[in-house]
Amino acid sequence: MKTARDWVGETLESWGRDAYIAKVVVSELVTNVVRHTSSETATVRVLLTDRGTVVEVLDACGVLPEARDVDVLSEDGRGLAMLGALVKDWGAQPVAGGGKAVWALLPEGDA
């Protein structure tokens, strides 16, 4: 995760953009790949689009993530809710050939 976080940070900083939220986002998305899929790899992309800066993580698992309702004593399950609170939008979609892409559109201050 450190490698992905560092790469995203360096990339955005080289573009003159604040990388703080992007680093939190990529940490959460890569952690989800490690904890919740059997994928052996994940691909991290950072895109400048007409909507803003997008951080995307692709993996080989076709199961799309869903935010869960958790109670105050739950030890996990808050990551996607946290992600939703930090970014303008996020989503997931299947990719051709199998697997999925989970993406997050960063807020303007971090784009």
Side-chain angles (χ1 to χ4, degrees):
M1 273 159 281
K2 181 180 181 332
T3 301
R5 191 172 45 245
D6 289 349
W7 178 80
V8 166
E10 291 168 8
T11 299
L12 288 177
E13 288 167 5
S14 75
W15 294 347
R17 297 170 184 267
D18 185 344
Y20 180 78
I21 290 177
K23 289 162 69 173
V24 173
V25 167
V26 79
S27 291
E28 176 59 28
L29 296 181
V30 172
T31 296
N32 285 351
V33 171
V34 171
R35 291 190 68 202
H36 302 293
T37 77
S38 59
S39 294
E40 294 183 14
T41 62
T43 301
V44 177
R45 299 192 318 176
V46 181
L47 310 161
L48 293 177
T49 72
D50 58 343
R51 293 181 60 207
T53 304
V54 175
V55 174
E56 184 177 61
V57 175
L58 298 95
D59 66 67
C61 178
V63 178
L64 299 179
E66 293 181 28
R68 303 186 312 203
D69 289 328
V70 295
D71 64 48
V72 295
L73 299 177
S74 296
E75 293 185 15
D76 61 4
R78 293 177 179 82
L80 293 176
M82 176 196 69
L83 179 77
L86 289 174
V87 301
K88 288 185 353 187
D89 196 11
W90 75 274
Q93 66 241 8
V95 295
K100 68 177 168 300
V102 183
W103 56 268
L105 177 62
L106 300 181
E108 292 299 323
D110 293 293

